[in-house]
Amino acid sequence: DTGVSQNPRHKITKRGQNVTFRCDPISEHNRLYWYRQTLGQGPEFLTYFQNEAQLEKSRLLSDRFSAERPKGSFSTLEIQRTEQGDSAMYLCASSPWTSGSGGNYNEQFFGPGTRLTVL
Amino acid sequence: GQQVMQIPQYQHVQEGEDFTTYCNSSTTLSNIQWYKQRPGGHPVFLIQLVKSGEVKKQKRLTFQFGEAKKNSSLHITATQTTDVGTYFCVNDYKLSFGAGTTVTVRA
């Protein structure tokens, strides 16, 4: 399977614990996005990378959240001191992008997500 | 950028009927993308519209971009149960996807 993969698919944790999720994008895609989605809502932007550089973070992203993409390939999203309000589906997506695209966003390919439940 | 507004939020359709969902913006959009998310699934890219007045078709789905590039629509003909899901229009990912239009089909 050459699509976007995410691990784990499900995570149950107790409030106050730290969790880390991994996303492996499509290999030739240089842009990687993280989203959070709760029931009945669309994906909410968290952050995105171009190669290894984190270019933007949502203002909604608290300092308990951190993301990395150290080698410009896979990415990790860590949530420290989890709260019950962090319970959601965390989606990763990747897309190709070149400077010739004129700044237009290219289609994103989403992974299956990691469902986090904080007890 | 400004998040586009999508209406209706819910659409209940009799199988075989047509329906349309609309996206509206107060500002000119550089492009618009449409995604579909099936229940329990993840968003899947459907199409991107870039040109003023552009119309694209995918089988029973017809996508339009307004002449002023401030609105877009998705029209589905002869709705089938496979059309169930939530349809999102997106311009700027940093503004997130919005609630979309959730479609249910009565057999």
mmCIF file of all heavy atoms in Angstrom, chain A residues 52-97:
data_model
loop_
_atom_site.group_PDB
_atom_site.id
_atom_site.type_symbol
_atom_site.label_atom_id
_atom_site.label_comp_id
_atom_site.label_asym_id
_atom_site.label_seq_id
_atom_site.Cartn_x
_atom_site.Cartn_y
_atom_site.Cartn_z
ATOM 1 N N GLU A 52 11.138 19.253 5.882
ATOM 2 C CA GLU A 52 11.285 19.159 7.338
ATOM 3 C C GLU A 52 10.888 20.441 8.061
ATOM 4 O O GLU A 52 10.869 20.463 9.299
ATOM 5 C CB GLU A 52 12.726 18.785 7.693
ATOM 6 C CG GLU A 52 13.771 19.831 7.327
ATOM 7 C CD GLU A 52 14.228 19.728 5.897
ATOM 8 O OE1 GLU A 52 13.638 18.946 5.125
ATOM 9 O OE2 GLU A 52 15.169 20.449 5.538
ATOM 10 N N ALA A 53 10.562 21.471 7.330
ATOM 11 C CA ALA A 53 10.244 22.758 7.946
ATOM 12 C C ALA A 53 8.761 22.856 8.295
ATOM 13 O O ALA A 53 7.891 22.655 7.445
ATOM 14 C CB ALA A 53 10.623 23.882 6.986
ATOM 15 N N GLN A 54 8.513 23.202 9.548
ATOM 16 C CA GLN A 54 7.138 23.430 9.994
ATOM 17 C C GLN A 54 6.779 24.869 9.634
ATOM 18 O O GLN A 54 7.286 25.818 10.234
ATOM 19 C CB GLN A 54 7.018 23.191 11.499
ATOM 20 C CG GLN A 54 5.591 23.241 12.000
ATOM 21 C CD GLN A 54 5.476 22.822 13.472
ATOM 22 O OE1 GLN A 54 6.462 22.796 14.203
ATOM 23 N NE2 GLN A 54 4.280 22.481 13.916
ATOM 24 N N LEU A 55 5.896 25.023 8.649
ATOM 25 C CA LEU A 55 5.640 26.348 8.103
ATOM 26 C C LEU A 55 4.527 27.092 8.813
ATOM 27 O O LEU A 55 4.524 28.331 8.806
ATOM 28 C CB LEU A 55 5.320 26.250 6.607
ATOM 29 C CG LEU A 55 6.456 25.761 5.711
ATOM 30 C CD1 LEU A 55 6.078 25.902 4.243
ATOM 31 C CD2 LEU A 55 7.751 26.491 6.005
ATOM 32 N N GLU A 56 3.592 26.382 9.375
ATOM 33 C CA GLU A 56 2.487 27.075 10.026
ATOM 34 C C GLU A 56 1.852 26.207 11.102
ATOM 35 O O GLU A 56 1.791 24.989 10.973
ATOM 36 C CB GLU A 56 1.427 27.469 8.998
ATOM 37 C CG GLU A 56 0.360 28.402 9.523
ATOM 38 C CD GLU A 56 -0.016 29.488 8.544
ATOM 39 O OE1 GLU A 56 0.558 29.553 7.444
ATOM 40 O OE2 GLU A 56 -0.904 30.282 8.887
ATOM 41 N N LYS A 57 1.422 26.864 12.156
ATOM 42 C CA LYS A 57 0.697 26.218 13.231
ATOM 43 C C LYS A 57 -0.582 26.983 13.488
ATOM 44 O O LYS A 57 -0.583 28.216 13.498
ATOM 45 C CB LYS A 57 1.538 26.190 14.513
ATOM 46 C CG LYS A 57 2.759 25.303 14.453
ATOM 47 C CD LYS A 57 3.653 25.493 15.671
ATOM 48 C CE LYS A 57 2.962 25.150 16.953
ATOM 49 N NZ LYS A 57 3.882 25.207 18.115
ATOM 50 N N SER A 58 -1.648 26.251 13.745
ATOM 51 C CA SER A 58 -2.909 26.897 14.065
ATOM 52 C C SER A 58 -2.801 27.613 15.408
ATOM 53 O O SER A 58 -2.130 27.131 16.332
ATOM 54 C CB SER A 58 -4.021 25.859 14.120
ATOM 55 O OG SER A 58 -5.181 26.391 14.704
ATOM 56 N N ARG A 59 -3.493 28.730 15.498
ATOM 57 C CA ARG A 59 -3.530 29.433 16.782
ATOM 58 C C ARG A 59 -4.260 28.609 17.833
ATOM 59 O O ARG A 59 -4.128 28.846 19.036
ATOM 60 C CB ARG A 59 -4.232 30.772 16.611
ATOM 61 C CG ARG A 59 -3.416 31.793 15.837
ATOM 62 C CD ARG A 59 -4.216 33.040 15.600
ATOM 63 N NE ARG A 59 -5.353 32.790 14.725
ATOM 64 C CZ ARG A 59 -6.280 33.690 14.434
ATOM 65 N NH1 ARG A 59 -6.237 34.879 14.963
ATOM 66 N NH2 ARG A 59 -7.268 33.389 13.619
ATOM 67 N N LEU A 60 -5.046 27.643 17.357
ATOM 68 C CA LEU A 60 -5.785 26.788 18.282
ATOM 69 C C LEU A 60 -4.886 25.728 18.914
ATOM 70 O O LEU A 60 -5.277 25.075 19.877
ATOM 71 C CB LEU A 60 -6.937 26.102 17.543
ATOM 72 C CG LEU A 60 -7.952 27.028 16.874
ATOM 73 C CD1 LEU A 60 -8.948 26.212 16.057
ATOM 74 C CD2 LEU A 60 -8.690 27.850 17.935
ATOM 75 N N LEU A 61 -3.696 25.578 18.369
ATOM 76 C CA LEU A 61 -2.801 24.535 18.838
ATOM 77 C C LEU A 61 -2.102 24.990 20.116
ATOM 78 O O LEU A 61 -1.286 25.908 20.097
ATOM 79 C CB LEU A 61 -1.773 24.237 17.755
ATOM 80 C CG LEU A 61 -1.130 22.858 17.768
ATOM 81 C CD1 LEU A 61 -2.166 21.787 17.523
ATOM 82 C CD2 LEU A 61 -0.038 22.774 16.720
ATOM 83 N N SER A 62 -2.449 24.329 21.232
ATOM 84 C CA SER A 62 -1.846 24.749 22.492
ATOM 85 C C SER A 62 -0.397 24.278 22.559
ATOM 86 O O SER A 62 0.059 23.468 21.753
ATOM 87 C CB SER A 62 -2.636 24.159 23.661
ATOM 88 O OG SER A 62 -2.285 22.807 23.865
ATOM 89 N N ASP A 63 0.323 24.777 23.575
ATOM 90 C CA ASP A 63 1.735 24.410 23.706
ATOM 91 C C ASP A 63 1.912 22.968 24.170
ATOM 92 O O ASP A 63 3.031 22.488 24.293
ATOM 93 C CB ASP A 63 2.472 25.390 24.621
ATOM 94 C CG ASP A 63 1.830 25.496 25.983
ATOM 95 O OD1 ASP A 63 0.906 24.713 26.266
ATOM 96 O OD2 ASP A 63 2.251 26.363 26.766
ATOM 97 N N ARG A 64 0.816 22.289 24.460
ATOM 98 C CA ARG A 64 0.925 20.866 24.798
ATOM 99 C C ARG A 64 1.110 20.005 23.544
ATOM 100 O O ARG A 64 1.452 18.839 23.645
ATOM 101 C CB ARG A 64 -0.319 20.395 25.535
ATOM 102 C CG ARG A 64 -0.527 21.067 26.889
ATOM 103 C CD ARG A 64 -1.739 20.488 27.623
ATOM 104 N NE ARG A 64 -2.993 20.695 26.897
ATOM 105 C CZ ARG A 64 -3.639 19.724 26.243
ATOM 106 N NH1 ARG A 64 -3.155 18.495 26.198
ATOM 107 N NH2 ARG A 64 -4.772 20.008 25.621
ATOM 108 N N PHE A 65 0.858 20.597 22.393
ATOM 109 C CA PHE A 65 0.972 19.887 21.124
ATOM 110 C C PHE A 65 2.295 20.247 20.449
ATOM 111 O O PHE A 65 2.647 21.423 20.353
ATOM 112 C CB PHE A 65 -0.168 20.266 20.175
ATOM 113 C CG PHE A 65 -1.514 19.721 20.567
ATOM 114 C CD1 PHE A 65 -2.184 20.206 21.669
ATOM 115 C CD2 PHE A 65 -2.120 18.726 19.804
ATOM 116 C CE1 PHE A 65 -3.433 19.699 22.020
ATOM 117 C CE2 PHE A 65 -3.365 18.228 20.144
ATOM 118 C CZ PHE A 65 -4.023 18.709 21.253
ATOM 119 N N SER A 66 2.985 19.241 19.968
ATOM 120 C CA SER A 66 4.187 19.506 19.186
ATOM 121 C C SER A 66 4.284 18.492 18.060
ATOM 122 O O SER A 66 3.908 17.331 18.223
ATOM 123 C CB SER A 66 5.430 19.456 20.064
ATOM 124 O OG SER A 66 5.588 18.172 20.617
ATOM 125 N N ALA A 67 4.763 18.949 16.928
ATOM 126 C CA ALA A 67 4.904 18.075 15.774
ATOM 127 C C ALA A 67 6.302 18.224 15.213
ATOM 128 O O ALA A 67 6.899 19.298 15.270
ATOM 129 C CB ALA A 67 3.863 18.410 14.716
ATOM 130 N N GLU A 68 6.783 17.117 14.661
ATOM 131 C CA GLU A 68 8.109 17.120 14.048
ATOM 132 C C GLU A 68 8.073 16.333 12.751
ATOM 133 O O GLU A 68 7.267 15.427 12.573
ATOM 134 C CB GLU A 68 9.134 16.462 14.987
ATOM 135 C CG GLU A 68 9.409 17.226 16.253
ATOM 136 C CD GLU A 68 10.485 16.560 17.098
ATOM 137 O OE1 GLU A 68 10.766 15.355 16.883
ATOM 138 O OE2 GLU A 68 11.048 17.242 17.971
ATOM 139 N N ARG A 69 8.994 16.678 11.894
ATOM 140 C CA ARG A 69 9.208 15.914 10.663
ATOM 141 C C ARG A 69 10.714 15.982 10.382
ATOM 142 O O ARG A 69 11.174 16.668 9.480
ATOM 143 C CB ARG A 69 8.406 16.503 9.505
ATOM 144 C CG ARG A 69 8.293 15.557 8.316
ATOM 145 C CD ARG A 69 7.552 16.193 7.160
ATOM 146 N NE ARG A 69 7.395 15.251 6.054
ATOM 147 C CZ ARG A 69 7.092 15.619 4.804
ATOM 148 N NH1 ARG A 69 6.887 16.888 4.513
ATOM 149 N NH2 ARG A 69 6.969 14.699 3.872
ATOM 150 N N PRO A 70 11.477 15.272 11.187
ATOM 151 C CA PRO A 70 12.936 15.485 11.244
ATOM 152 C C PRO A 70 13.691 15.280 9.935
ATOM 153 O O PRO A 70 14.661 15.969 9.674
ATOM 154 C CB PRO A 70 13.386 14.488 12.314
ATOM 155 C CG PRO A 70 12.284 13.486 12.411
ATOM 156 C CD PRO A 70 11.029 14.210 12.090
ATOM 157 N N LYS A 71 13.290 14.357 9.129
ATOM 158 C CA LYS A 71 14.033 14.098 7.901
ATOM 159 C C LYS A 71 13.194 14.388 6.663
ATOM 160 O O LYS A 71 13.531 13.966 5.559
ATOM 161 C CB LYS A 71 14.530 12.657 7.870
ATOM 162 C CG LYS A 71 15.496 12.331 8.996
ATOM 163 C CD LYS A 71 15.988 10.895 8.912
ATOM 164 C CE LYS A 71 16.954 10.589 10.048
ATOM 165 N NZ LYS A 71 17.430 9.177 10.013
ATOM 166 N N GLY A 72 12.115 15.078 6.879
ATOM 167 C CA GLY A 72 11.263 15.395 5.747
ATOM 168 C C GLY A 72 10.478 14.218 5.224
ATOM 169 O O GLY A 72 9.907 14.293 4.126
ATOM 170 N N SER A 73 10.429 13.142 6.010
ATOM 171 C CA SER A 73 9.646 11.979 5.568
ATOM 172 C C SER A 73 8.474 11.794 6.534
ATOM 173 O O SER A 73 7.499 12.513 6.447
ATOM 174 C CB SER A 73 10.517 10.738 5.475
ATOM 175 O OG SER A 73 11.169 10.495 6.706
ATOM 176 N N PHE A 74 8.614 10.871 7.490
ATOM 177 C CA PHE A 74 7.513 10.653 8.430
ATOM 178 C C PHE A 74 7.427 11.825 9.404
ATOM 179 O O PHE A 74 8.369 12.622 9.547
ATOM 180 C CB PHE A 74 7.700 9.333 9.180
ATOM 181 C CG PHE A 74 8.790 9.357 10.219
ATOM 182 C CD1 PHE A 74 8.513 9.700 11.541
ATOM 183 C CD2 PHE A 74 10.098 9.044 9.879
ATOM 184 C CE1 PHE A 74 9.515 9.729 12.485
ATOM 185 C CE2 PHE A 74 11.106 9.077 10.815
ATOM 186 C CZ PHE A 74 10.813 9.430 12.133
ATOM 187 N N SER A 75 6.288 11.914 10.070
ATOM 188 C CA SER A 75 6.072 12.978 11.055
ATOM 189 C C SER A 75 5.488 12.373 12.317
ATOM 190 O O SER A 75 4.834 11.324 12.280
ATOM 191 C CB SER A 75 5.113 14.026 10.493
ATOM 192 O OG SER A 75 4.810 15.018 11.466
ATOM 193 N N THR A 76 5.742 13.031 13.437
ATOM 194 C CA THR A 76 5.125 12.638 14.692
ATOM 195 C C THR A 76 4.376 13.822 15.278
ATOM 196 O O THR A 76 4.781 14.980 15.110
ATOM 197 C CB THR A 76 6.163 12.148 15.712
ATOM 198 O OG1 THR A 76 7.130 13.178 15.929
ATOM 199 C CG2 THR A 76 6.859 10.888 15.219
ATOM 200 N N LEU A 77 3.289 13.520 15.939
ATOM 201 C CA LEU A 77 2.499 14.511 16.664
ATOM 202 C C LEU A 77 2.430 14.056 18.114
ATOM 203 O O LEU A 77 1.977 12.949 18.393
ATOM 204 C CB LEU A 77 1.096 14.639 16.074
ATOM 205 C CG LEU A 77 0.140 15.586 16.793
ATOM 206 C CD1 LEU A 77 0.583 17.039 16.629
ATOM 207 C CD2 LEU A 77 -1.291 15.420 16.285
ATOM 208 N N GLU A 78 2.914 14.880 19.016
ATOM 209 C CA GLU A 78 2.898 14.533 20.430
ATOM 210 C C GLU A 78 1.943 15.456 21.172
ATOM 211 O O GLU A 78 1.922 16.669 20.932
ATOM 212 C CB GLU A 78 4.296 14.639 21.049
ATOM 213 C CG GLU A 78 4.310 14.266 22.529
ATOM 214 C CD GLU A 78 5.684 14.427 23.186
ATOM 215 O OE1 GLU A 78 6.548 15.118 22.616
ATOM 216 O OE2 GLU A 78 5.865 13.854 24.281
ATOM 217 N N ILE A 79 1.184 14.865 22.056
ATOM 218 C CA ILE A 79 0.317 15.639 22.948
ATOM 219 C C ILE A 79 0.768 15.342 24.370
ATOM 220 O O ILE A 79 0.782 14.183 24.796
ATOM 221 C CB ILE A 79 -1.166 15.270 22.796
ATOM 222 C CG1 ILE A 79 -1.594 15.336 21.331
ATOM 223 C CG2 ILE A 79 -2.028 16.208 23.645
ATOM 224 C CD1 ILE A 79 -3.029 14.859 21.091
ATOM 225 N N GLN A 80 1.155 16.365 25.064
ATOM 226 C CA GLN A 80 1.580 16.195 26.450
ATOM 227 C C GLN A 80 0.423 16.503 27.388
ATOM 228 O O GLN A 80 -0.444 17.330 27.090
ATOM 229 C CB GLN A 80 2.754 17.133 26.745
ATOM 230 C CG GLN A 80 3.995 16.813 25.926
ATOM 231 C CD GLN A 80 5.155 17.736 26.258
ATOM 232 O OE1 GLN A 80 4.961 18.913 26.573
ATOM 233 N NE2 GLN A 80 6.362 17.212 26.230
ATOM 234 N N ARG A 81 0.441 15.825 28.517
ATOM 235 C CA ARG A 81 -0.555 16.076 29.576
ATOM 236 C C ARG A 81 -1.974 16.092 28.984
ATOM 237 O O ARG A 81 -2.694 17.086 29.060
ATOM 238 C CB ARG A 81 -0.265 17.389 30.294
ATOM 239 C CG ARG A 81 1.154 17.468 30.862
ATOM 240 C CD ARG A 81 1.400 18.796 31.590
ATOM 241 N NE ARG A 81 1.186 19.947 30.714
ATOM 242 C CZ ARG A 81 2.057 20.390 29.834
ATOM 243 N NH1 ARG A 81 3.201 19.760 29.642
ATOM 244 N NH2 ARG A 81 1.777 21.474 29.108
ATOM 245 N N THR A 82 -2.334 14.983 28.376
ATOM 246 C CA THR A 82 -3.606 14.935 27.660
ATOM 247 C C THR A 82 -4.786 15.303 28.557
ATOM 248 O O THR A 82 -4.786 15.047 29.769
ATOM 249 C CB THR A 82 -3.855 13.540 27.069
ATOM 250 O OG1 THR A 82 -3.714 12.556 28.103
ATOM 251 C CG2 THR A 82 -2.897 13.247 25.941
ATOM 252 N N GLU A 83 -5.780 15.904 27.905
ATOM 253 C CA GLU A 83 -7.019 16.282 28.574
ATOM 254 C C GLU A 83 -8.173 15.584 27.846
ATOM 255 O O GLU A 83 -8.034 15.185 26.685
ATOM 256 C CB GLU A 83 -7.203 17.800 28.505
ATOM 257 C CG GLU A 83 -6.065 18.578 29.120
ATOM 258 C CD GLU A 83 -6.175 20.073 28.874
ATOM 259 O OE1 GLU A 83 -7.110 20.485 28.139
ATOM 260 O OE2 GLU A 83 -5.331 20.827 29.417
ATOM 261 N N GLN A 84 -9.308 15.489 28.523
ATOM 262 C CA GLN A 84 -10.445 14.810 27.906
ATOM 263 C C GLN A 84 -10.876 15.516 26.617
ATOM 264 O O GLN A 84 -11.331 14.873 25.671
ATOM 265 C CB GLN A 84 -11.609 14.701 28.892
ATOM 266 C CG GLN A 84 -11.335 13.703 30.001
ATOM 267 C CD GLN A 84 -12.534 13.526 30.921
ATOM 268 O OE1 GLN A 84 -13.303 14.450 31.159
ATOM 269 N NE2 GLN A 84 -12.678 12.319 31.448
ATOM 270 N N GLY A 85 -10.685 16.805 26.559
ATOM 271 C CA GLY A 85 -11.037 17.567 25.369
ATOM 272 C C GLY A 85 -10.155 17.268 24.171
ATOM 273 O O GLY A 85 -10.456 17.693 23.050
ATOM 274 N N ASP A 86 -9.066 16.540 24.395
ATOM 275 C CA ASP A 86 -8.193 16.161 23.276
ATOM 276 C C ASP A 86 -8.727 14.945 22.531
ATOM 277 O O ASP A 86 -8.213 14.591 21.463
ATOM 278 C CB ASP A 86 -6.781 15.839 23.786
ATOM 279 C CG ASP A 86 -6.094 17.029 24.421
ATOM 280 O OD1 ASP A 86 -6.392 18.176 24.012
ATOM 281 O OD2 ASP A 86 -5.262 16.828 25.335
ATOM 282 N N SER A 87 -9.730 14.296 23.091
ATOM 283 C CA SER A 87 -10.311 13.121 22.436
ATOM 284 C C SER A 87 -10.859 13.514 21.069
ATOM 285 O O SER A 87 -11.689 14.417 20.947
ATOM 286 C CB SER A 87 -11.437 12.530 23.287
ATOM 287 O OG SER A 87 -10.935 12.039 24.504
ATOM 288 N N ALA A 88 -10.374 12.854 20.048
ATOM 289 C CA ALA A 88 -10.745 13.193 18.675
ATOM 290 C C ALA A 88 -10.062 12.215 17.730
ATOM 291 O O ALA A 88 -9.266 11.376 18.152
ATOM 292 C CB ALA A 88 -10.289 14.615 18.323
ATOM 293 N N MET A 89 -10.371 12.368 16.441
ATOM 294 C CA MET A 89 -9.632 11.659 15.404
ATOM 295 C C MET A 89 -8.538 12.603 14.917
ATOM 296 O O MET A 89 -8.825 13.754 14.571
ATOM 297 C CB MET A 89 -10.562 11.284 14.251
ATOM 298 C CG MET A 89 -9.851 10.623 13.092
ATOM 299 S SD MET A 89 -9.333 8.945 13.486
ATOM 300 C CE MET A 89 -10.862 8.057 13.159
ATOM 301 N N TYR A 90 -7.308 12.120 14.877
ATOM 302 C CA TYR A 90 -6.192 12.931 14.387
ATOM 303 C C TYR A 90 -5.819 12.411 12.996
ATOM 304 O O TYR A 90 -5.410 11.265 12.834
ATOM 305 C CB TYR A 90 -5.024 12.881 15.366
ATOM 306 C CG TYR A 90 -5.342 13.655 16.619
ATOM 307 C CD1 TYR A 90 -6.067 13.074 17.650
ATOM 308 C CD2 TYR A 90 -4.974 15.003 16.747
ATOM 309 C CE1 TYR A 90 -6.422 13.801 18.774
ATOM 310 C CE2 TYR A 90 -5.322 15.727 17.871
ATOM 311 C CZ TYR A 90 -6.047 15.124 18.873
ATOM 312 O OH TYR A 90 -6.403 15.857 19.983
ATOM 313 N N LEU A 91 -5.978 13.287 12.034
ATOM 314 C CA LEU A 91 -5.758 12.918 10.636
ATOM 315 C C LEU A 91 -4.472 13.535 10.122
ATOM 316 O O LEU A 91 -4.137 14.680 10.437
ATOM 317 C CB LEU A 91 -6.914 13.424 9.768
ATOM 318 C CG LEU A 91 -8.284 12.784 9.984
ATOM 319 C CD1 LEU A 91 -9.373 13.621 9.325
ATOM 320 C CD2 LEU A 91 -8.304 11.378 9.448
ATOM 321 N N CYS A 92 -3.778 12.770 9.322
ATOM 322 C CA CYS A 92 -2.592 13.247 8.636
ATOM 323 C C CYS A 92 -2.886 13.211 7.142
ATOM 324 O O CYS A 92 -3.609 12.332 6.660
ATOM 325 C CB CYS A 92 -1.405 12.348 8.974
ATOM 326 S SG CYS A 92 0.102 12.691 8.050
ATOM 327 N N ALA A 93 -2.345 14.163 6.422
ATOM 328 C CA ALA A 93 -2.508 14.181 4.968
ATOM 329 C C ALA A 93 -1.200 14.634 4.343
ATOM 330 O O ALA A 93 -0.418 15.362 4.958
ATOM 331 C CB ALA A 93 -3.638 15.124 4.557
ATOM 332 N N SER A 94 -0.958 14.200 3.130
ATOM 333 C CA SER A 94 0.223 14.669 2.410
ATOM 334 C C SER A 94 -0.169 15.116 1.011
ATOM 335 O O SER A 94 -1.218 14.723 0.488
ATOM 336 C CB SER A 94 1.297 13.571 2.343
ATOM 337 O OG SER A 94 0.902 12.510 1.494
ATOM 338 N N SER A 95 0.655 15.957 0.449
ATOM 339 C CA SER A 95 0.399 16.429 -0.911
ATOM 340 C C SER A 95 1.714 16.796 -1.575
ATOM 341 O O SER A 95 2.677 17.178 -0.902
ATOM 342 C CB SER A 95 -0.547 17.636 -0.903
ATOM 343 O OG SER A 95 0.101 18.796 -0.426
ATOM 344 N N PRO A 96 1.728 16.710 -2.886
ATOM 345 C CA PRO A 96 2.892 17.210 -3.606
ATOM 346 C C PRO A 96 2.756 18.723 -3.747
ATOM 347 O O PRO A 96 1.653 19.261 -3.724
ATOM 348 C CB PRO A 96 2.781 16.525 -4.963
ATOM 349 C CG PRO A 96 1.303 16.352 -5.157
ATOM 350 C CD PRO A 96 0.716 16.158 -3.791
ATOM 351 N N TRP A 97 3.849 19.415 -3.847
ATOM 352 C CA TRP A 97 3.797 20.861 -4.074
ATOM 353 C C TRP A 97 5.102 21.291 -4.700
ATOM 354 O O TRP A 97 6.173 20.878 -4.260
ATOM 355 C CB TRP A 97 3.602 21.612 -2.762
ATOM 356 C CG TRP A 97 3.363 23.094 -2.961
ATOM 357 C CD1 TRP A 97 2.188 23.709 -3.203
ATOM 358 C CD2 TRP A 97 4.346 24.135 -2.934
ATOM 359 N NE1 TRP A 97 2.362 25.069 -3.321
ATOM 360 C CE2 TRP A 97 3.683 25.351 -3.171
ATOM 361 C CE3 TRP A 97 5.729 24.155 -2.745
ATOM 362 C CZ2 TRP A 97 4.345 26.581 -3.210
ATOM 363 C CZ3 TRP A 97 6.393 25.375 -2.787
ATOM 364 C CH2 TRP A 97 5.696 26.563 -3.024
#
